[in-house]
Amino acid sequence: MYFSTALILLLIVLDIFVYYLQKQQEEDDVEQNNSSSSDQQSVHIEDHVEKKDSSPSSSLEKHCRRFSLAEIKLATDDFNDAYVIGKGGFGKVYKGRVDFGGGIDVAIKRLNINSNQGETEFWAEIEMLSKLRHSHIVSLIGYHEESGKQEMILVYEYLPNGSLEDHLHKRRAHGDNLSPLTWIQRLCICIDAARGLDYLHTGTGVECRVIHLDVKSSNILLDKNWAGKIADFGLSRTGPAHQSSTTNVYTNQIKGTFGYMDAQYFATHRLTRKSDVYAFGVVLFEVLCGRPALDFTLDEKQYSLAVWASHCVEEGTIHQFVDPCLRGEVSNHCVKKFAHVANKCLLWNAKDRPTMTEVVAQLELLLALTLQNNSRVTIAEKVRSLFKIKFPVPSNHKKKAIKKDEQHTTMAEGGSYHSNTTKFSIPVAGNPKEQAAEDGSTSDHHGGAARVFTGKELKRATYNFHETSIIGWGVYGVVYKGVLSDKRIVAIKRSKRFKIVDQTQIEPFINEVGILSQINHRNMVKLIGYCLELELPLLVYEFISNGSLSDHIHNESRSLALTWDIRLRIATETAGALSYVHSAASVPIIHRDIKPTNILVDDNYVAKVSDFGVSMKIILVELITVFEGTLGYLDPEYLQTWVLTDKSDVYSFGVVLAELLTGKRPLRFDRPENERTLAIYFVSSLKEGRLSQVLDERLLLNEGVIPDDIINVSRLAERCLHVRGDERPTMKEVAMELEGISIVKEKSVARVEEREEEDRS
């Protein structure tokens, strides 16, 4: 056993050396071949499409066959649904058999004429795959295209084992009786896919480098031997191989799949090969944790696998979330090494991420380590992995990591929390901190006056937390309606996530008490008190009778009452409250989760900002190691830099304004691709003069005329949604501008009423 292991490691080292020399020679050849054209600009697939007529070029004929429609129909029994093996954004995929090279099984992808994809993606895939030949890239066998674009069909090699996504998520979720992928299989598939991407990025064998732009588990297919292959090049982009960094700048649409999308690309529209590296890092965590990139059935903090897994790696808890199918099969040491590779791919600064060449090297070294330590691995698996292993020498260049504050705490001044102890304190009634009323603050309650309730009182108020008292659910827990002994109606929030004895997890609870005990404003929900007596902590708030702003925007029966005047007033009041918390104290408070579900409205539609559990007091800027917020409202600059400022709240408020103006949710995957993210869609529509097409139709005047105040609020929202924080206004400026728009509107209405009165008289 020891002799065979030593022999394997020796051969691996020799293979590293040979592969390194080969790789260097190929890179030198590419550099020499392209040195004379160093001033060329990046090439877009669309440029080729514009020059193309309906017939394929002679170069395409050399590499892939043009099939007749009759051949395609024969192979699929006239597109019989019984032959369908998959569906995607392009259309249905059929299994067929064509008379090509003695007869072979193929996968036939037929464009749905109603698909968001079309001719551009069709020719992009043909051009790309006709140039690329690699054992870990799906081969394009041929295509069919008719004049008039009635039929656009692609014919690929058939891969019988489906996609990586199928085996990680879909088949298990559907209850299929399949053996899960082993750890060795998963590692080998990841290495296969990484090598395919490395081939695309380094330009080996072709005169261009390729950015895939849609790397995800559903685009990694598995052949009969379980080898992984990269598929779906419809969104890919190319550039000259001699360039050290392939980039393209897009001004209209962001391409890719949410959950895998590079935050830096999302924020700047600047695309590099490191965007593929980011997406591949998400795939690696999928493989390790066995969960999809986005899962909205989980708590908000866990929606995004990338954000959540990175946090787990930082906290050293990722081993707790390994796919249950792998328990006992992979050591904690291997989990740590693998997660480290994945986490480096997800670094927010693209320059700090590894290249795919480096990723291949690290994964294959991890495989060698796994084989060395795993005495249960079969000889067949060893032989297969041995002959597949070809790795370059890892770079000696080491990036300097940002040192994060290990003792960082989000506690507001007035309450204390120690991350390395179990001590905490909260302000209590009887010792209020006096605070001057300014910027709309009120004197009906004072900061610090939080009452301590007994468990018995709150049980009685909610009929022992009976389910009939529940009025809402959130990330923090369940919200009950309660009636106190003095007949006051209150809202009682009960944690569902931690026990009171687990004081290291009680920070959101303490944070909310600490902040709301010190600030007050007529447009902020009042904290009445709290209870620490029971097993789970409870917070007691004033009861806001009319629900959340989200309820009114997106509930058709309730949105009828939400006139533009009411929407404008709610926006103005919310902006005033946020301006207050940003500037009322000596140290600004950043809310971090501004969204319509956290803006409550009373019976008179007065806005009340709520939920300060993840808020922070910061001094100018703060480096954040754990992301808080909600997808669709998160500031892209915050995602990119990890630096939190008050401008992150401004961005989130800009999304709220767009939601008020359009009546659309901020993030929906059932909308067309260019409309999925409301912030991007709203800004692009405004710039392109299509505002009337996205506005809530109830806000338009007769004949589709847009009132001036709506135009002005739309432009303000656009400034709030600027990708750069320093280009956004402050919340004080936003509040003042909205107040000014409201005043102008009121005066205009008053003048109209005066003229109507004069006409009647």
Side-chain angles (χ1 to χ4, degrees):
M1 185 68 186
Y2 290 114
F3 175 76
S4 62
T5 300
L7 179 60
I8 288 174
L9 293 177
L10 176 61
L11 291 175
I12 287 173
V13 172
L14 291 174
D15 206 29
I16 292 174
F17 182 68
V18 172
Y19 183 71
Y20 174 72
L21 292 178
Q22 180 186 8
K23 192 86 171 177
Q24 286 297 109
Q25 183 62 48
E26 289 171 343
E27 291 285 352
D28 292 343
D29 291 342
V30 170
E31 189 71 29
Q32 291 174 7
N33 292 337
N34 292 281
S35 60
S36 61
S37 59
S38 60
D39 59 342
Q40 294 180 2
Q41 298 296 315
S42 296
V43 179
H44 286 71
I45 288 299
E46 289 86 346
D47 296 335
H48 296 289
V49 173
E50 291 174 0
K51 298 176 183 178
K52 181 179 296 296
D53 58 19
S54 60
S55 61
S57 65
S58 59
S59 62
L60 289 180
E61 293 283 10
K62 294 178 182 179
H63 297 289
C64 59
R65 169 178 166 181
R66 181 170 185 171
F67 289 91
S68 68
L69 184 59
E71 289 176 297
I72 300 295
K73 286 186 174 182
L74 181 62
T76 61
D77 191 19
D78 198 12
F79 300 111
N80 190 326
D81 280 348
Y83 288 70
V84 173
I85 56 175
K87 296 179 182 179
F90 188 94
K92 292 181 179 179
V93 182
Y94 301 80
K95 180 183 178 182
R97 188 170 183 83
V98 297
D99 183 16
F100 184 80
I104 58 171
D105 289 335
V106 293
I108 299 173
K109 185 161 66 173
R110 184 191 191 193
L111 174 66
N112 182 341
I113 59 174
N114 296 319
S115 169
N116 293 323
Q117 301 184 38
E119 185 182 8
T120 298
E121 290 80 5
F122 176 77
W123 284 114
E125 186 123 5
I126 293 175
E127 285 215 44
M128 194 72 66
L129 289 179
S130 66
K131 297 174 182 177
L132 304 175
R133 287 293 183 269
H134 191 273
S135 59
H136 297 303
I137 292 177
V138 171
S139 296
L140 179 69
I141 295 173
Y143 67 98
H144 170 79
E145 185 258 354
E146 292 181 352
S147 58
K149 319 304 178 191
Q150 294 302 311
E151 287 287 359
M152 287 185 281
I153 299 170
L154 296 170
V155 182
Y156 306 89
E157 64 174 315
Y158 174 66
L159 301 178
N161 278 319
S163 72
L164 177 60
E165 178 189 47
D166 292 338
H167 292 273
L168 292 177
H169 314 309
K170 289 185 178 178
R171 294 183 179 178
R172 188 184 310 162
H174 295 163
D176 291 344
N177 187 21
L178 293 173
S179 298
L181 295 172
T182 67
W183 177 241
I184 297 295
Q185 283 178 315
R186 298 186 195 208
L187 265 180
C188 288
I189 291 168
C190 290
I191 291 169
D192 293 342
R195 295 167 88 197
L197 288 174
D198 183 34
Y199 167 79
L200 298 176
H201 289 182
T202 56
T204 301
V206 295
E207 294 182 354
C208 63
R209 299 179 189 237
V210 179
I211 302 175
H212 187 279
L213 194 51
D214 201 17
V215 175
K216 54 186 177 183
S217 57
S218 61
N219 283 339
I220 299 173
L221 305 184
L222 307 175
D223 70 10
K224 64 180 180 180
N225 296 316
W226 298 94
K229 298 196 175 192
I230 301 293
D232 201 345
F233 286 77
L235 301 181
S236 299
R237 297 291 181 265
T238 64
H242 68 273
Q243 290 186 351
S244 60
S245 178
T246 306
T247 62
N248 291 285
V249 178
Y250 305 96
T251 57
N252 293 323
Q253 296 184 26
I254 296 289
K255 298 286 188 179
T257 301
F258 286 101
Y260 300 89
M261 194 178 294
D262 173 13
Q264 190 172 59
Y265 165 49
F266 184 88
T268 66
H269 292 215
R270 181 176 180 271
L271 179 66
T272 73
R273 288 172 290 172
K274 296 300 183 69
S275 296
D276 280 354
V277 175
Y278 181 94
F280 189 72
V282 181
V283 171
L284 291 179
F285 275 125
E286 275 188 272
V287 166
L288 181 64
C289 301
R291 57 149 288 186
L294 289 177
D295 190 344
F296 293 103
T297 65
L298 302 174
D299 287 343
E300 284 184 357
K301 289 183 179 181
Q302 297 184 23
Y303 281 174
S304 168
L305 174 60
V307 174
W308 174 69
S310 291
H311 170 60
C312 291
V313 171
E314 295 291 335
E315 294 293 312
T317 60
I318 191 65
H319 63 279
Q320 299 175 14
F321 303 101
V322 171
D323 188 339
C325 297
L326 300 177
R327 298 285 167 81
E329 185 180 349
V330 53
S331 68
N332 285 346
H333 179 68
C334 284
V335 168
K336 183 178 179 181
K337 291 280 188 182
F338 186 87
H340 176 71
V341 175
N343 203 41
K344 286 184 68 176
C345 293
L346 298 180
L347 291 175
W348 299 106
N349 189 340
K351 293 181 179 180
D352 292 335
R353 298 171 199 156
T355 64
M356 285 309 305
T357 301
E358 293 170 329
V359 172
V360 171
Q362 293 172 48
L363 289 177
E364 290 187 322
L365 287 170
L366 180 58
L367 177 60
L369 176 65
T370 302
L371 294 175
Q372 180 183 8
N373 294 334
N374 190 352
S375 60
R376 293 173 297 173
V377 72
T378 67
I379 297 297
E381 287 174 318
K382 286 187 177 181
V383 171
R384 176 183 181 271
S385 63
L386 173 61
F387 281 99
K388 288 172 58 60
I389 292 176
K390 290 184 177 179
F391 22 163
V393 174
S395 170
N396 289 326
H397 177 66
K398 295 182 179 179
K399 303 286 194 305
K400 184 178 181 181
I402 297 175
K403 184 177 181 181
K404 297 180 175 64
D405 182 5
E406 295 179 355
Q407 299 300 319
H408 174 71
T409 172
T410 62
M411 260 306 299
E413 182 180 320
S416 62
Y417 174 79
H418 304 276
S419 60
N420 56 349
T421 71
T422 57
K423 297 179 180 179
F424 63 91
S425 60
I426 303 173
V428 296
N431 184 27
K433 179 180 179 181
E434 295 298 331
Q435 195 171 30
E438 59 178 348
D439 295 332
S441 60
T442 60
S443 58
D444 61 339
H445 68 281
H446 299 281
R451 174 184 166 186
V452 180
F453 287 90
T454 66
K456 185 177 180 180
E457 285 179 288
L458 298 187
K459 282 185 175 181
R460 186 186 306 118
T462 59
Y463 300 99
N464 199 20
F465 302 107
H466 194 271
E467 60 181 14
T468 57
S469 299
I470 296 175
I471 56 174
W473 293 266
V475 174
Y476 182 95
V478 183
V479 182
Y480 298 83
K481 181 179 179 180
V483 181
L484 300 179
S485 57
D486 60 5
K487 306 303 180 183
R488 274 188 301 168
I489 300 176
V490 294
I492 302 171
K493 187 158 61 175
R494 185 189 195 193
S495 169
K496 66 177 182 181
R497 300 174 57 195
F498 52 81
K499 295 183 178 181
I500 197 64
V501 295
D502 186 8
Q503 294 169 356
T504 61
Q505 299 295 317
I506 202 172
E507 187 170 324
F509 171 84
I510 300 173
N511 202 49
E512 183 137 16
V513 176
I515 287 178
L516 290 180
S517 295
Q518 298 177 67
I519 58 178
N520 61 88
H521 191 279
R522 70 168 69 92
N523 297 119
M524 290 172 51
V525 171
K526 177 184 176 182
L527 178 70
I528 296 174
Y530 58 90
C531 174
L532 297 177
E533 255 186 37
L534 304 179
E535 183 181 31
L536 299 174
L538 300 123
L539 297 174
V540 183
Y541 304 88
E542 63 173 320
F543 178 70
I544 308 299
S545 56
N546 213 0
S548 74
L549 178 58
S550 181
D551 296 335
H552 291 272
I553 296 176
H554 302 298
N555 186 320
E556 188 172 347
S557 62
R558 305 186 76 180
S559 63
L560 295 174
L562 204 63
T563 65
W564 170 241
D565 288 347
I566 291 176
R567 298 185 198 206
L568 179 57
R569 179 158 57 81
I570 289 173
T572 304
E573 291 172 344
T574 302
L578 292 175
S579 173
Y580 167 73
V581 297
H582 282 189
S583 58
S586 58
V587 179
I589 297 170
I590 312 303
H591 188 282
R592 296 178 81 189
D593 200 17
I594 295 298
K595 56 185 177 182
T597 52
N598 286 339
I599 300 171
L600 307 183
V601 291
D602 66 14
D603 286 336
N604 297 316
Y605 288 94
V606 174
K608 301 275 188 176
V609 179
S610 68
D611 203 343
F612 285 78
V614 297
S615 300
M616 287 186 63
K617 281 198 170 188
I618 62 170
I619 302 175
L620 298 180
V621 296
E622 187 90 19
L623 183 66
I624 304 301
T625 60
V626 179
F627 284 101
E628 301 287 359
T630 303
L631 289 175
Y633 301 93
L634 279 171
D635 171 15
E637 187 176 63
Y638 168 37
L639 288 173
Q640 176 192 350
T641 63
W642 296 54
V643 174
L644 181 68
T645 72
D646 56 352
K647 296 299 183 70
S648 295
D649 276 357
V650 175
Y651 182 91
S652 300
F653 183 75
V655 181
V656 173
L657 286 180
E659 210 167 337
L660 282 167
L661 288 160
T662 65
K664 299 180 184 297
R665 293 189 182 276
L667 190 64
R668 286 294 294 265
F669 296 101
D670 56 355
R671 295 197 293 240
E673 186 175 356
N674 65 326
E675 300 178 20
R676 288 176 180 172
T677 304
L678 177 61
I680 295 175
Y681 179 53
F682 179 82
V683 170
S684 64
S685 298
L686 188 61
K687 289 181 177 178
E688 295 167 9
R690 297 184 291 107
L691 179 60
S692 61
Q693 298 178 22
V694 299
L695 284 178
D696 189 326
E697 60 184 15
R698 287 166 293 188
L699 303 184
L700 299 175
L701 298 177
N702 295 332
E703 301 179 357
V705 177
I706 305 176
D708 288 342
D709 51 329
I710 290 181
I711 294 175
N712 291 333
V713 173
S714 299
R715 289 172 177 164
L716 175 60
E718 179 187 17
R719 299 204 307 277
C720 292
L721 294 173
H722 201 287
V723 293
R724 289 185 52 186
D726 57 5
E727 296 290 335
R728 301 171 199 153
T730 64
M731 278 311 308
K732 185 174 183 179
E733 292 169 336
V734 172
M736 291 176 64
E737 188 164 340
L738 286 172
E739 186 69 32
I741 292 172
S742 299
I743 291 172
V744 170
K745 179 178 174 59
E746 289 172 2
K747 289 182 178 179
S748 176
V749 171
R751 285 196 296 268
V752 170
E753 291 175 347
E754 288 176 3
R755 285 197 296 267
E756 290 176 347
E757 181 65 27
E758 290 174 358
D759 292 341
R760 285 194 296 269
S761 61

